[in-house]
Amino acid sequence: MTKQTGSLVCVGTGMMLGGHLTPRARSAISLSERLFMAVSDPIVEKWLENMHPDARSLQVFYQPGCPRDRTYQRMVETILSSVRKGIRVCAAFYGHPGVFACVAHRAVEAAHRAGFSARMEAAISAADCLYADLGIDPGKWGCQHYEATQFLTRKREVDSSAYLILWQVGVVGDETHSRLSTGKLERQLLQQKLLRMYPEDHLMTIYEAATLPISSFRSETIPVKKFVTVALSQHSTLVVPPARTCEVDHETQQLLAKSRLKEQD
Ligand SMILES: C[S@@+](CC[C@H](N)C(=O)[O-])C[C@H]1O[C@@H](n2cnc3c(N)ncnc32)[C@H](O)[C@@H]1O
């Protein structure tokens, strides 16, 4: 199919103002004719506005009480309507555009379906900052990432010998996806769920990456039993380290050893 003239590139600004934008993202922004911005901080919006003469915020779609899915759909429709007009569009999201964020994925899919050229550029997410700031290598013992409300409301087999990372913990339990924070009841339910998997004194960390070069990250360690009382924001991520060592699969190790011996024969 011949590609139509409009196009879309979704980029991420990374987490830290000015310091995380990749050269590819910067180039996509400057080559675009229109820039949409879905970033959580007005300072980041101002910074992007200085980079582009036609920068438009998507924050207007966040209305109190409006279900998040409707908000996201409106954002996708707004981005796509410019692409359909034949405009070279760039959409900038904070962090990584496709990590715990659906608008960029949906917009790229919709643009492809309509026959337009569209792609997503990789960027620095909160997880990347977390690995660096907290000294965690996800490859050491494994690492499970879940959206907090989904984790709470679904039956999951959690591997407590690996890291567990819960995103959007500040709005845990908000199944309407329309609130800016949730309260004691929702947190109690999450704490109870964690207590079924971890000892009550197991230490976990509330993490918030620095978003300005002059600020530092937040890393607050609390036992599972104190989770209800800790201060959480929209930017908090919960990190639960392994609580036990991983069991060795001796049977498979023996099969591997046997096959190595055979290769040597
Ligand atoms: C809608 S997701 C967006 C994630 C973003 N796309 C990224 O690449 O990191 C929002 C969640 O990301 C995490 N997050 C956002 N900002 C953060 C920060 N400054 N530090 C730690 N986690 C953050 C939190 O779990 C928050 O609830």
Side-chain angles (χ1 to χ4, degrees), residues 14-15 40 62 68 72 93-102 123-130 146-147 165-171 207-211 217-218 233-238:
M15 303 305 292
S40 57
Y62 286 108
R68 214 42 62 82
Y72 296 152
F93 300 81
Y94 83 95
H96 185 303
V99 169
F100 287 84
C102 63
I124 296 179
S125 71
D128 300 296
C129 298
L130 183 158
Y146 296 112
E147 197 281 325
I165 299 188
L166 296 183
W167 297 63
Q168 308 202 131
V169 74
V171 284
Y207 171 73
E208 285 168 21
T211 52
F217 64 88
R218 174 184 175 205
S233 82
Q234 274 184 290
H235 302 301
S236 306
T237 298
L238 177 67

Side-chain angles (χ1 to χ4, degrees), residues 164-196:
L164 169 67
I165 299 188
L166 296 183
W167 297 63
Q168 308 202 131
V169 74
V171 284
V172 66
D174 175 23
E175 286 201 281
T176 66
H177 302 290
S178 61
R179 293 165 66 184
L180 297 178
S181 67
T182 47
K184 201 173 166 192
L185 171 75
E186 292 85 355
R187 289 199 203 171
Q188 266 168 348
L189 289 173
L190 180 59
Q191 182 171 301
Q192 281 162 15
K193 185 153 189 168
L194 290 170
L195 284 171
R196 292 200 288 275

Side-chain angles (χ1 to χ4, degrees), residues 212-245:
L212 295 173
I214 50 159
S215 52
S216 42
F217 64 88
R218 174 184 175 205
S219 164
E220 188 174 342
T221 304
I222 43 150
V224 179
K225 65 180 176 199
K226 290 275 167 69
F227 174 71
V228 171
T229 57
V230 77
L232 296 175
S233 82
Q234 274 184 290
H235 302 301
S236 306
T237 298
L238 177 67
V239 182
V240 190
R244 61 181 178 88
T245 51

Side-chain angles (χ1 to χ4, degrees), residues 71-140:
T71 301
Y72 296 152
Q73 202 44 42
R74 286 183 182 153
M75 291 181 176
V76 173
E77 282 160 13
T78 303
I79 294 168
L80 259 290
S81 94
S82 286
V83 175
R84 280 195 205 95
K85 286 179 187 146
I87 297 170
R88 276 196 313 276
V89 174
C90 181
F93 300 81
Y94 83 95
H96 185 303
V99 169
F100 287 84
C102 63
V103 175
H105 284 297
R106 290 189 195 175
V108 168
E109 281 164 20
H112 280 159
R113 271 200 307 275
F116 294 99
S117 158
R119 69 173 201 277
M120 184 187 289
E121 290 288 344
I124 296 179
S125 71
D128 300 296
C129 298
L130 183 158
Y131 296 145
D133 291 336
L134 303 185
I136 293 173
D137 178 352
K140 193 171 179 190

